[in-house]
């Protein structure tokens, strides 16, 4: 019998899930899914007629996926801007009073 079942359950969950993916992994996966859903818009049934049911499902998947893709792109851009700001703020600042251009 395990003395701490909570820790055992957390360990099993961690092992099952593996390491978390990156933002670029998610972006690539989502782009592949959007591309596949786009291909399904032109799906045909057994008689060669447009499959409206599949097309409607693809439209829904594309609208949901596009919104998620836009958020991923936005987060990626914000991370890059934040990293640039942190790089600038970590540079050593000169000591002493600083005069602006207009001061004489």
């Amino acid at each position: 019998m395990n003395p701490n079942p909570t820790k055992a359950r957390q360990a099993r969950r961690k092992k099952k899930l593996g390491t978390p993916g990156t933002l670029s992994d998610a972006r690539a996966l989502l782009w592949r899914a959007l591309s596949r859903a786009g291909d399904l818009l032109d799906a045909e049934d057994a008689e060669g007629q447009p499959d409206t049911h599949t097309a409607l499902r693809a439209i829904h998947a594309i609208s949901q996926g596009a919104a998620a893709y836009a958020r991923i792109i936005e987060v990626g851009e914000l991370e890059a801007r934040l990293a640039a700001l942190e790089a600038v703020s970590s540079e050593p600042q000169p000591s002493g009073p600083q005069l602006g251009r207009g001061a004489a």
Side-chain angles (χ1 to χ4, degrees):
M1 181 105 196
N2 192 339
N4 192 339
T6 302
K7 286 190 178 186
R9 185 176 59 248
Q10 290 171 345
R12 281 193 310 270
R13 180 176 168 85
K14 186 175 181 180
K15 183 178 177 182
K16 181 180 177 184
L17 293 177
T19 59
T22 64
L23 194 59
S24 61
D25 293 341
R27 188 180 72 225
L29 181 65
L30 191 53
W31 183 253
R32 286 197 331 261
L34 284 169
S35 178
R36 171 96 169 128
D39 294 342
L40 290 174
L41 284 174
D42 300 324
E44 296 178 348
D45 62 11
E47 291 87 36
Q49 299 297 319
D51 186 358
T52 56
H53 180 71
T54 301
L56 288 173
R57 292 177 66 144
I59 290 168
H60 177 73
I62 290 169
S63 67
Q64 295 294 310
Y69 190 79
R71 285 191 305 268
I72 287 175
I73 295 297
E74 182 181 356
V75 167
E77 290 174 354
L78 288 173
E79 282 183 346
R81 292 172 71 186
L82 181 61
L85 286 171
E86 287 174 343
V88 169
S89 69
S90 67
E91 292 176 1
Q93 301 295 323
S95 60
Q98 299 295 309
L99 300 177
R101 290 183 136 196

